[in-house]
Amino acid sequence: VETIEDVGEFGLIRRVRARLPESGPALLLGSGDDGAVIAAPDRRVVASTDLLLEGRHFRRDWSSAYDVGRKAAAQNFADIAAMGAVPTALLVALVLPGDLPVSWVEELADGFAAECEVAGASVAGGDMVRGEVITVSATALGDLQGRDPVRRDGARPGDVLAVAGRLGWSAVGLAYLESNVPRSQLERLTAGDFIKAHRSPTPPYAAGPQAADLGATSMLDISDGLLADLGHVAEASGVRVDVRTGLLDLSAVHSPVYALTGGEDHALAATFPPGTSLPPAWRTIGVVHEGSPSVTVDGEPWSGPSGFNHFGVSGQ
Amino acid sequence: VETIEDVGEFGLIRRVRARLPESGPALLLGSGDDGAVIAAPDRRVVASTDLLLEGRHFRRDWSSAYDVGRKAAAQNFADIAAMGAVPTALLVALVLPGDLPVSWVEELADGFAAECEVAGASVAGGDMVRGEVITVSATALGDLQGRDPVRRDGARPGDVLAVAGRLGWSAVGLAYLESNVPRSQLERLTAGDFIKAHRSPTPPYAAGPQAADLGATSMLDISDGLLADLGHVAEASGVRVDVRTGLLDLSAVHSPVYALTGGEDHALAATFPPGTSLPPAWRTIGVVHEGSPSVTVDGEPWSGPSGFNHFGVSGQ
């Protein structure tokens, strides 16, 4: 197997670049220079950065390089959409072991390119260094197209809480993967869809700008779990956010626990002024109340498990 | 000692954010939301990303966290300047061991903030995850202020080659550090200036836009070494670039080898049309010739050591 050590830094860069489109809608000057030049017609640019670490955010035996590439791009573009912007570009910095097959990195690049195509963006540049643990650090840029950015601090009592995208699918997929059922069997079960959801999420990119246009008062990307992330809206807005389990779509995930606490689906949650007519992408799941900043489930504090915390310590 | 494990993810984010200015010239909306919003008055944004890995790009016993923060910011902003743009924002993704003292991360943030102030930019956002090896992945953004980006492919025969900033200082500093002279003695010698240069470079940010305004035909940041990086200009422009050692400033670095091959000073190299009157920041060090793409030293191929290659394999 041809490894990174075999082809060297510049060889690897050439091989990766060959997999990526040289131009894109917003890409005025791509990689190959000190910096890329990306269109920012709005005169403001939205930027977000996120990092995936092997062993912590993905496992090579559970996810293909292509999945990892899609996931890294998707979770960053979801942040851009959650501000009400459209993704324009992705920059990627990689730590790669020298004995890693070149084909793994090529498939990773294919994953970046595929998710960029879904989101309407381009890979604009990157960096690669050799190290022990595969690390995928991605930064996404986006254009607001004249919209005001939708923040976390605008939710008001009486607002409707709604979600676009899936809740709990990735967590169910992870649970299946961790259950030690032979993979050959898993793929044939309905588990397959959940596992796919865990391997690479499908955030509802268009729903972000759509919500901004509808006057969303707050919005964010659900990365750590619905309840954990709504906590940020409650804190920033000074409100109580109440989720009604009767309104959640539980047809797929069986238990509300997955929908309430499962992370990494990168759904969007937003609050809208009362009476807003919501298009099909958005599903009403609760309401905003006056009260000390908190998230409640059917009016009560949640006493089940809490969302994923990267440092393993509750910081909420 | 208080560690990252002690304070948790959100505690750490709070502590780091407290060290960073909440607003800056181009920072319209800072961290705390899904994405930051940065001014892009030119309607184009320049973006570049670079990654520092402990053990590979820095050692904790040789560099303070503050130095690492400054260096990570500086090498990214140098890329922005090398396009002819002014730095506006920095996004930082970090891998941090759980047993790392919180104070180390706070000092790292101080380093980001300090270099941002020098460059006129702001820390706009970030991500932190726990892992074994300290990794600092930074993405810089910049504004062209109406200038055309200066690429690598515009050098023409007859152009003058010039450099702004230091050449070889960081490499000399590294050589001192590797020489096992007791640190207490090193600091008192003239070595101190070189070691400082290794720990955190001082790129000549203003010289980048200045060169663009002067009509520079090509420009790039010297990160891997003068000869190695000029190779990119030679390749992209289809020219022979000749460095005249008699024109190099060797008053500080003793040997031309350091100035020709030492990396990480993040000087800027540019080519200018013949007869361009260069301001003091720029020092003429050679000339561009017709010929197959190559870099020569006093008209001859360089037979000394080559520049630093991240994968340890010659890919030139």
Side-chain angles (χ1 to χ4, degrees):
Chain A
V1 179
E2 193 181 34
T3 67
I4 291 179
E5 237 153 19
D6 296 332
V7 298
E9 180 192 7
F10 294 105
L12 185 63
I13 290 173
R14 266 195 298 272
R15 293 279 284 272
V16 167
R17 237 190 249 154
R19 319 287 283 209
L20 300 172
E22 279 188 23
S23 61
L27 189 61
L28 305 177
L29 176 62
S31 65
D33 244 289
D34 291 82
V37 183
I38 299 127
D42 178 84
R43 295 178 185 263
R44 294 170 297 177
V45 64
V46 178
S48 180
T49 192
D50 256 320
L51 197 142
L52 290 179
L53 206 58
E54 182 179 15
R56 189 149 197 97
H57 301 101
F58 66 91
R59 280 174 51 163
R60 256 189 282 171
D61 53 341
W62 286 356
S63 297
S64 69
Y66 178 82
D67 291 330
V68 174
R70 290 200 70 153
K71 187 172 188 166
Q75 68 178 37
N76 274 283
F77 289 147
D79 282 326
I80 300 300
M83 299 301 291
V86 296
T88 53
L90 188 75
L91 292 103
V92 189
L94 306 172
V95 179
L96 304 169
D99 61 359
L100 192 69
V102 172
S103 61
W104 198 92
V105 188
E106 289 178 325
E107 284 160 29
L108 182 73
D110 288 346
F112 295 145
E115 197 63 25
C116 276
E117 196 171 335
V118 171
S122 305
V123 178
D127 188 25
M128 295 193 251
V129 302
R130 194 160 64 171
E132 296 303 307
V133 181
I134 300 179
T135 308
V136 180
S137 174
T139 302
L141 303 181
D143 189 67
L144 283 161
Q145 299 178 322
R147 293 177 203 95
D148 284 333
V150 184
R151 305 179 54 169
R152 299 175 173 187
D153 61 0
R156 296 288 167 260
D159 281 356
V160 166
L161 172 68
V163 160
R166 294 162 165 178
L167 290 176
W169 284 51
S170 175
V172 171
L174 184 60
Y176 277 118
L177 285 167
E178 283 175 341
S179 70
N180 296 321
V181 178
R183 279 187 57 174
S184 56
Q185 285 194 29
L186 269 184
E187 305 290 346
R188 266 177 282 136
L189 303 175
T190 54
D193 288 335
F194 297 103
I195 292 171
K196 257 187 223 155
H198 171 71
R199 286 183 180 144
S200 73
T202 52
Y205 300 123
Q210 186 184 48
D213 288 339
L214 288 165
T217 53
S218 76
M219 181 155 53
L220 86 179
D221 152 59
I222 305 301
S223 53
D224 294 344
L226 180 66
L227 298 182
D229 285 318
L230 287 179
H232 303 308
V233 171
E235 278 294 335
S237 301
V239 294
R240 175 167 73 86
V241 180
D242 188 47
V243 178
R244 313 298 301 189
T245 50
L247 297 174
L248 292 173
D249 177 7
L250 300 179
S251 61
V253 297
H254 316 306
S255 156
V257 173
Y258 287 111
L260 292 170
T261 67
E264 303 205 341
D265 284 302
H266 299 285
L268 299 177
T271 55
F272 296 91
T276 305
S277 172
L278 293 179
W282 289 91
R283 179 188 184 94
T284 300
I285 62 159
V287 68
V288 179
H289 293 277
E290 259 187 282
S292 59
S294 60
V295 181
T296 51
V297 178
D298 298 327
E300 301 291 330
W302 175 250
S303 55
S306 68
F308 182 71
N309 179 311
H310 297 296
F311 286 104
V313 175
S314 173
Q316 280 288 95
Chain B
V1 179
E2 193 181 33
T3 68
I4 291 179
E5 238 153 19
D6 295 333
V7 298
E9 181 192 6
F10 293 105
L12 185 63
I13 290 173
R14 265 195 298 274
R15 294 279 286 271
V16 165
R17 237 190 249 155
R19 319 287 285 207
L20 299 172
E22 279 187 24
S23 61
L27 189 61
L28 304 177
L29 176 61
S31 65
D33 243 290
D34 290 82
V37 183
I38 298 127
D42 179 82
R43 293 176 186 265
R44 296 170 296 178
V45 64
V46 178
S48 179
T49 193
D50 255 321
L51 197 143
L52 291 179
L53 205 58
E54 183 180 15
R56 190 148 196 98
H57 301 102
F58 66 90
R59 280 174 51 163
R60 256 189 281 172
D61 54 340
W62 286 356
S63 296
S64 69
Y66 179 82
D67 291 330
V68 174
R70 291 200 70 153
K71 188 172 188 165
Q75 70 179 35
N76 274 283
F77 289 147
D79 283 325
I80 299 299
M83 298 302 290
V86 296
T88 53
L90 188 74
L91 292 102
V92 189
L94 306 173
V95 178
L96 304 169
D99 61 358
L100 193 68
V102 173
S103 61
W104 198 92
V105 189
E106 289 179 326
E107 284 161 28
L108 183 74
D110 289 345
F112 295 145
E115 197 63 24
C116 276
E117 197 173 332
V118 171
S122 305
V123 178
D127 188 25
M128 295 194 251
V129 300
R130 194 161 64 171
E132 297 302 307
V133 181
I134 300 180
T135 308
V136 180
S137 174
T139 301
L141 304 180
D143 189 68
L144 284 161
Q145 301 179 320
R147 292 175 204 98
D148 284 334
V150 183
R151 305 180 52 169
R152 298 175 172 186
D153 62 0
R156 296 291 166 260
D159 281 355
V160 166
L161 172 68
V163 161
R166 293 161 166 179
L167 290 175
W169 284 51
S170 175
V172 171
L174 183 61
Y176 277 119
L177 285 166
E178 284 175 340
S179 70
N180 295 321
V181 178
R183 277 188 58 176
S184 57
Q185 285 193 29
L186 270 184
E187 304 290 345
R188 268 177 280 136
L189 303 176
T190 54
D193 288 335
F194 296 103
I195 292 171
K196 256 186 224 154
H198 172 70
R199 288 186 180 141
S200 73
T202 53
Y205 299 124
Q210 186 184 49
D213 289 337
L214 287 165
T217 52
S218 76
M219 180 155 54
L220 88 177
D221 151 60
I222 304 302
S223 53
D224 293 345
L226 180 67
L227 298 182
D229 286 317
L230 287 178
H232 303 308
V233 172
E235 277 297 332
S237 301
V239 295
R240 176 167 72 87
V241 179
D242 188 49
V243 177
R244 314 298 301 190
T245 50
L247 297 176
L248 292 173
D249 177 6
L250 300 179
S251 60
V253 296
H254 315 308
S255 154
V257 173
Y258 287 110
L260 292 170
T261 68
E264 303 206 340
D265 284 303
H266 299 284
L268 300 176
T271 55
F272 297 91
T276 305
S277 172
L278 293 178
W282 288 93
R283 180 189 184 95
T284 300
I285 61 159
V287 68
V288 178
H289 293 277
E290 261 187 280
S292 58
S294 60
V295 181
T296 51
V297 177
D298 299 327
E300 301 292 329
W302 175 251
S303 55
S306 68
F308 182 71
N309 179 311
H310 298 295
F311 285 103
V313 174
S314 173
Q316 280 288 89

